[in-house]
């Protein structure tokens, strides 16, 4: 291996050596502990240390770095006290996740490290978001993010690189090409010669770097960092290296030809570099021994701390509370002048006023800038707020959601418009796995609102009509809002944007231009988790939300003899079960109506909760009414009968007469 120290001073040259030695020695110790059954899984980065250490040392301490499962050297290079890492791996309280997540699956704002989630790809978008925040704040920082070569086959990789290139974000994308993705060799993973060949297609620069040569890694990345801080842009790096151990320790390396192992063992980044430093006279055997003794002592004393720490105790209350970030909601009551406006105008007004309210709020979505969005919610916004805050995105829901997460990590807020709620399926992974779980896992907020133009009755067929709130109400960590009236839509959207937790904000397209209401002109907020009693009666309770509220109103208007409470839930998570119980206790009969098909819909849960809590108050079985168990069809006659409107009227009359 050839080393060129260039103008690096001896301190740096030795620092790089020590930097690699520490993760290697920690790993050697971990392998012993693993055999003794004292730690669970271990993903080895042995032989790849030069990449983690070289990249991290090239970055400044206040620049974010997003490592993977083989980047122990990132964590040690940022000088995280070792006992905290050991506690993390043992699921103990001094770790970073209160025992809730394992290995390297955590982030820490203190050390500007944002760890991975198992799904590999989303963090590439998170890096985009952090870099976007830096670019918008004009703070000349780079962001480095890692992926294995296996991870480059995920759609997220392509989306993240494309977005970074289109927006010129200062991200260093680091591919660690170590020959295998679990057992899959590179020839079965991709079909280009080098992975960096892809950079051309995204319109970005790239380099191939010998990942086992610490001086090459450090010098090239250092040079790039300096260039990117001056002129922000993304760069794709392919570090060529090799995975010297199994995917994780239990799985072995039988499928790896021994010849390859022998060849790469000769290229060990530490022994080679050590020999170079000895030859240059910068290192002596005595110094090596001293260095190893110091690290060994640090490892042992920190291990003792971690072993002495008691295991985490279960506290149901604490577990539940930590799912969401608690925050001081400042209620701004609706008051003053009102105007009769459409549902869509109320949403536009809330969004616009929130943009004035929060300078750090960024809007992202397809065609939302000059075009104003397909429903024209953001029409005229570019003139008021500029294109840096009202951002057209390429068609890449997944990475835009992750980018929103990155903005939040870097202290900003994001509202993402799904062009149609149906398309959230291609952004599903980061919502349910990253945004929803991040606060529970490592105490980080996900200050993101996802706007969801949804719903049927508009003759738009299976992919432009769904109301898919049940995909999200199931997932702890998300909030789900579904207003029925303009006044609620504006106030709840403002609250959603203030709330630091991830909010899915459902906007029924059918209501956009058909429903009018008096809406206060000034900025105001409305609380989550408070249902509204739209009509009051004694005989029967109707519980619904969204378009269902309007369907129920029409039916009640047609059947004035029905003396019903009509409860509009307004938010589904948090869900105002107290209000449901109160109306059931008053009337003794409950019918739940929703546009979603029945099975697994939120109506099932409300029904179960009423059975469990109000059984003795019921005078009739709880009735649920929803759409047919089919995809939503296009033709009018089919859609009309798919939707529950007619069935609802019959069911209501039957239950009322029970
Ligand atoms: C979406 C997803 N699919 C599959 C897996 C299982 N898995 C975890 S790591 C891995 C291999 C990753 O290979 P690569 O990206 O090359 O990284 P390496 O482990 O080689 O460092 C696989 C298949 C996963 N975690 N997430």
């Amino acid at each position: 291996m050839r080393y060129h120290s260039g103008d690096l001073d001896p301190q740096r040259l030795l620092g790089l050596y020590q930097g690699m030695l520490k993760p290697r020695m920690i790993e050697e110790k971990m392998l012993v502990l693993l055999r003794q059954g004292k730690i669970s899984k271990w993903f080895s980065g042995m032989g790849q240390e030069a990449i983690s250490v070289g990249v991290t040392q090239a970055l400044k301490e206040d620049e974010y770095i997003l490592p993977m499962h083989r980047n122990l050297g990132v964590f040690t290079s940022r000088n995280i006290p070792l006992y905290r890492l050991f506690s993390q791996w043992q699921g103990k309280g001094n770790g970073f996740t209160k025992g809730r997540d394992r290995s390297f699956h955590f982030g820490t704002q203190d050390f500007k490290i944002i760890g991975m989630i198992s799904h590999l790809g989303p963090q590439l978008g998170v890096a985009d978001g952090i870099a976007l925040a830096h670019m918008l704040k004009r703070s000349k920082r780079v962001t480095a993010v890692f992926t294995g070569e296996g991870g480059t086959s995920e759609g997220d990789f392509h989306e993240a690189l494309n977005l970074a290139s289109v927006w010129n974000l200062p991200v260093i994308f680091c591919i660690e090409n170590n020959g295998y993705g679990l057992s899959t060799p590179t020839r079965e993973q991709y079909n280009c010669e080098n992975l960096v060949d892809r950079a051309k297609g995204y319109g970005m620069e790239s380099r191939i770097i010998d990942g086992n040569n610490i001086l090459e890694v450090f010098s090239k990345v250092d040079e790039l960092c300096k260039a990117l801080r001056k002129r922000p842009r993304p760069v794709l790096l392919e570090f060529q290296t090799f995975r010297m151990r199994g995917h994780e320790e239990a799985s072995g390396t039988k499928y790896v030809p021994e010849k390859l192992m022998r060849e790469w063992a000769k290229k060990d980044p530490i022994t080679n570099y050590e020999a170079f430093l000895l030859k240059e006279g910068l290192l002596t055997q005595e110094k090596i021994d001293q260095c190893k003794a110091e690290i060994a002592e640090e490892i042992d004393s920190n291990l003792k701390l971690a072993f002495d720490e008691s295991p985490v105790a279960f506290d149901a209350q604490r577990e539940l509370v930590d799912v969401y970030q608690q925050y001081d909601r400042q209620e701004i009551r609706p008051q003053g002048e009102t105007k009769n406006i459409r549902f869509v105008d109320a949403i536009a007004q809330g969004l616009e006023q929130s943009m004035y309210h929060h300078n750090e709020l960024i809007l992202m979505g397809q065609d939302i800038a000059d075009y104003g969005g397909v429903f024209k919610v953001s029409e005229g916004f570019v003139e008021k707020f500029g294109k840096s805050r009202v951002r057209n995105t390429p068609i890449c829901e997944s990475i835009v959601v992750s980018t929103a997460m990155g903005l939040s990590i870097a202290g900003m807020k994001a509202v993402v418009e799904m062009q149609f709620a149906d398309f959230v399926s291609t952004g599903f992974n980061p919502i349910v796995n990253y945004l929803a779980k991040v606060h529970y896992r490592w105490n980080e907020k996900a200050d993101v609102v996802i706007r969801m133009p949804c719903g049927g009755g508009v003759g738009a067929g299976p992919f432009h009509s769904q109301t898919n709130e049940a995909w999200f109400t199931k997932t702890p960590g998300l909030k789900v809002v579904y207003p029925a009236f303009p006044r609620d839509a504006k106030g709840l959207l403002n609250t959603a944007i203030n709330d630091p937790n991830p909010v899915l904000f459902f906007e029924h397209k059918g209501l956009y231009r058909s429903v009018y209401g008096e809406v206060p002109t000034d900025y105001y907020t409305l609380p989550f988790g408070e249902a509204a009693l739209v009509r009051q009666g004694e005989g029967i309770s109707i519980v619904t939300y969204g378009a269902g509220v309007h369907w129920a109103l029409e039916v009640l208007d047609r059947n004035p003899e029905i003396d019903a409470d009509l409860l509009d839930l307004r938010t589904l998570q948090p869900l105002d079960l107290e209000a449901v119980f109160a109306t059931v206790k008053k009337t003794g009969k409950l019918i739940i109506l929703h546009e979603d098909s029945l099975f697994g819909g939120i109506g099932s849960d409300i029904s179960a909760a009423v059975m469990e809590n109000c059984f003795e108050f019921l005078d009739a079985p709880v009735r649920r009414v929803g759409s047919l168990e089919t995809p939503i069809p296009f033709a009018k006659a089919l859609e009309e009968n798919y939707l529950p409107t007619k069935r609802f009227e019959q069911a209501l009359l039957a239950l009322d007469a029970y």
Side-chain angles (χ1 to χ4, degrees):
M1 202 172 292
R2 299 171 76 84
Y3 289 102
H4 301 287
S5 49
D7 53 8
L8 298 180
D9 59 41
Q11 203 187 344
R12 170 67 73 186
L13 293 170
L14 283 175
L16 289 167
Y17 171 70
Q18 288 161 337
M20 287 195 291
L21 205 53
K22 194 187 275 190
R24 173 69 58 92
M25 288 179 66
I26 292 172
E27 277 217 47
E28 282 164 350
K29 187 77 182 184
M30 288 308 126
L31 294 182
V32 175
L33 295 178
L34 191 73
R35 280 193 287 275
Q36 294 171 349
K38 290 187 180 158
I39 56 167
S40 61
K41 271 197 158 177
W42 188 256
F43 294 90
S44 174
M46 275 188 183
Q48 300 180 215
E49 292 93 341
I51 304 166
S52 304
V53 173
V55 172
T56 313
Q57 288 205 19
L59 258 63
K60 293 184 178 167
E61 273 187 4
D62 61 359
E63 289 177 323
Y64 282 95
I65 188 160
L66 294 87
M68 294 291 291
H69 48 293
R70 297 190 203 287
N71 296 121
L72 173 56
V74 168
F75 298 83
T76 51
S77 298
R78 283 272 157 106
N79 292 318
I80 294 185
L82 296 187
Y83 75 93
R84 296 205 62 192
L85 288 178
F86 299 151
S87 286
Q88 168 65 22
W89 301 335
Q90 292 175 27
K92 289 185 172 172
N94 280 336
F96 293 86
T97 61
K98 303 182 185 168
R100 292 168 186 165
D101 206 343
R102 63 185 196 185
S103 62
F104 297 104
H105 294 188
F106 67 91
T108 149
Q109 288 281 11
D110 293 343
F111 299 93
K112 294 282 176 282
I113 292 176
I114 307 300
M116 63 188 293
I117 67 165
S118 289
H119 297 66
L120 313 168
Q123 65 170 7
L124 296 157
V126 176
D128 281 357
I130 294 171
L132 174 60
H134 288 158
M135 198 175 77
L136 294 172
K137 292 178 190 166
R138 295 183 204 291
S139 60
K140 301 197 170 296
R141 295 192 184 126
V142 300
T143 301
V145 60
F146 287 87
T147 175
E149 86 289 344
T152 67
S153 301
E154 284 194 274
D156 278 355
F157 174 80
H158 305 272
E159 293 187 11
L161 267 67
N162 184 53
L163 189 76
S165 186
V166 171
W167 287 357
N168 222 16
L169 305 173
V171 182
I172 302 181
F173 292 98
C174 304
I175 305 171
E176 277 185 89
N177 192 341
N178 64 4
Y180 287 83
L182 213 154
S183 74
T184 305
T186 52
R187 67 177 178 281
E188 294 175 28
Q189 192 72 248
Y190 56 88
N191 195 24
C192 45
E193 193 179 342
N194 294 298
L195 282 166
V196 288
D197 296 346
R198 293 177 178 174
K200 195 169 187 322
Y202 301 117
M204 67 169 67
E205 293 168 39
S206 66
R207 311 258 194 294
I208 292 182
I209 295 176
D210 178 350
N212 282 28
N213 184 329
I214 183 71
L215 293 189
E216 191 178 329
V217 174
F218 176 79
S219 310
K220 289 203 171 155
V221 177
D222 184 49
E223 186 190 309
L224 272 173
C225 285
K226 286 173 180 150
L228 265 57
R229 283 179 203 124
K230 282 205 189 103
R231 184 165 72 79
R233 58 194 192 274
V235 179
L236 178 63
L237 303 181
E238 180 176 350
F239 295 99
Q240 293 178 333
T241 184
F242 201 71
R243 204 191 67 204
M244 298 303 293
R245 303 191 65 87
H247 171 64
E248 41 83 34
E249 283 307 310
S251 61
T253 54
K254 263 194 187 144
Y255 47 84
V256 183
E258 285 203 2
K259 184 165 165 282
L260 270 180
M261 282 289 193
R262 280 197 303 275
E263 274 170 22
W264 279 95
K266 284 188 215 142
K267 299 182 197 169
D268 184 278
I270 300 180
T271 50
N272 277 291
Y273 187 54
E274 192 178 271
F276 164 76
L277 292 177
L278 283 167
K279 194 162 115 270
E280 293 289 303
L282 288 164
L283 198 58
T284 59
Q285 191 55 49
E286 198 187 352
K287 174 84 185 152
I288 295 173
D289 295 341
Q290 185 199 339
C291 204
K292 287 188 174 168
E294 278 169 19
I295 296 174
E297 203 290 314
E298 187 186 350
I299 293 174
D300 288 343
S301 57
N302 279 274
L303 260 180
K304 182 167 172 2
L305 284 176
F307 279 128
D308 287 349
E309 190 188 348
S310 4
V312 282
F314 175 70
D315 173 347
Q317 192 53 29
R318 194 178 72 148
E319 292 300 292
L320 290 169
V321 163
D322 281 357
V323 172
Y324 295 97
Q325 169 141 331
Q326 308 304 311
Y327 81 110
D328 254 349
R329 199 181 76 81
Q330 305 286 324
E331 187 163 349
I332 302 176
R333 290 179 185 285
Q335 55 193 1
E337 182 207 16
T338 64
K339 276 203 177 127
N340 195 263
I341 58 174
R342 299 174 303 180
F343 193 77
V344 69
D345 303 322
I347 290 169
Q349 219 178 71
L351 203 55
E352 183 180 331
Q353 291 177 358
S354 288
M355 286 292 274
Y356 286 116
H357 214 74
H358 303 282
N359 283 329
E360 72 287 8
L361 173 61
I362 305 299
L363 308 185
M364 297 188 288
Q366 290 151 30
D367 309 290
I368 66 162
D370 296 313
Y371 190 67
V374 292
F375 296 105
K376 302 295 168 199
V377 169
S378 51
E379 196 162 42
F381 278 34
V382 169
E383 288 72 32
K384 290 174 188 139
F385 306 109
K387 275 198 161 177
S388 58
R389 291 184 66 199
V390 185
R391 304 186 74 87
N392 271 347
T393 70
I395 304 169
C396 51
E397 287 77 8
S398 181
I399 234 56
V400 169
V401 172
S402 306
T403 299
M405 180 69 228
L407 283 172
S408 170
I409 284 175
M412 301 189 82
K413 281 178 174 288
V415 173
V416 176
E417 177 179 294
M418 287 291 148
Q419 198 156 69
F420 286 81
D422 310 67
F423 303 145
V424 78
S425 50
T426 55
F428 191 66
N429 180 38
I431 296 175
V432 299
N433 283 317
Y434 207 127
L435 277 60
K437 297 176 180 33
V438 72
H439 193 268
Y440 176 74
R441 290 170 58 241
W442 57 275
N443 216 31
E444 179 64 26
K445 67 190 185 316
D447 201 344
V448 178
V449 176
I450 301 178
R451 292 189 36 242
M452 303 276 281
C454 67
V458 288
F463 304 117
H464 290 79
S465 310
Q466 294 171 81
T467 179
N468 40 17
E469 66 276 14
W471 298 358
F472 303 99
T473 47
K474 173 77 197 91
T475 305
L478 301 174
K479 296 192 177 181
V480 179
V481 180
Y482 205 142
F485 297 102
R487 179 181 176 279
D488 288 346
K490 178 175 167 182
L492 291 170
L493 179 59
N494 289 339
T495 302
I497 292 168
N498 291 340
D499 193 316
N501 294 288
V503 182
L504 278 294
F505 192 87
F506 285 83
E507 306 168 5
H508 199 293
K509 315 186 285 284
L511 308 184
Y512 269 160
R513 290 174 168 78
S514 66
V515 171
Y516 284 71
E518 287 294 323
V519 176
T521 312
D522 290 343
Y523 178 88
Y524 62 94
T525 62
L526 289 175
F528 285 179
E530 285 185 21
L533 209 48
V534 177
R535 288 267 172 100
Q536 296 205 33
E538 303 291 328
I540 189 166
S541 302
I542 305 169
V543 170
T544 185
Y545 55 95
V549 179
H550 299 280
W551 298 337
L553 282 170
E554 280 169 31
V555 171
L556 290 178
D557 288 345
R558 266 202 302 276
N559 300 278
E561 74 284 5
I562 296 182
D563 183 23
D565 252 6
L566 173 56
L567 191 70
D568 171 8
L569 291 170
R570 302 201 289 188
T571 66
L572 306 182
Q573 176 53 258
L575 183 62
D576 190 357
L577 279 175
E578 290 310 317
V580 176
F581 297 160
T583 176
V584 169
K585 286 177 185 173
K586 182 170 78 167
T587 68
K589 288 181 184 172
L590 172 63
I591 184 164
I592 306 158
L593 166 67
H594 56 57
E595 181 171 339
D596 191 10
S597 49
L598 269 192
F599 191 86
I602 197 160
S604 308
D605 267 288
I606 294 171
S607 166
V610 166
M611 299 292 199
E612 284 166 1
N613 292 279
C614 309
F615 184 73
E616 54 277 24
F617 294 90
L618 288 170
D619 297 327
V622 174
R623 190 67 213 269
R624 294 169 303 143
V625 182
S627 289
L628 274 192
E629 303 296 325
T630 68
I632 178 163
F634 157 62
K636 199 165 192 285
L638 300 185
E639 191 185 25
E640 266 176 12
N641 287 290
Y642 160 88
L643 290 171
T645 36
K646 287 184 194 156
R647 287 189 296 280
F648 171 67
E649 184 157 9
Q650 289 154 8
L652 179 68
L653 291 169
L655 187 65
D656 194 48
Y658 184 90

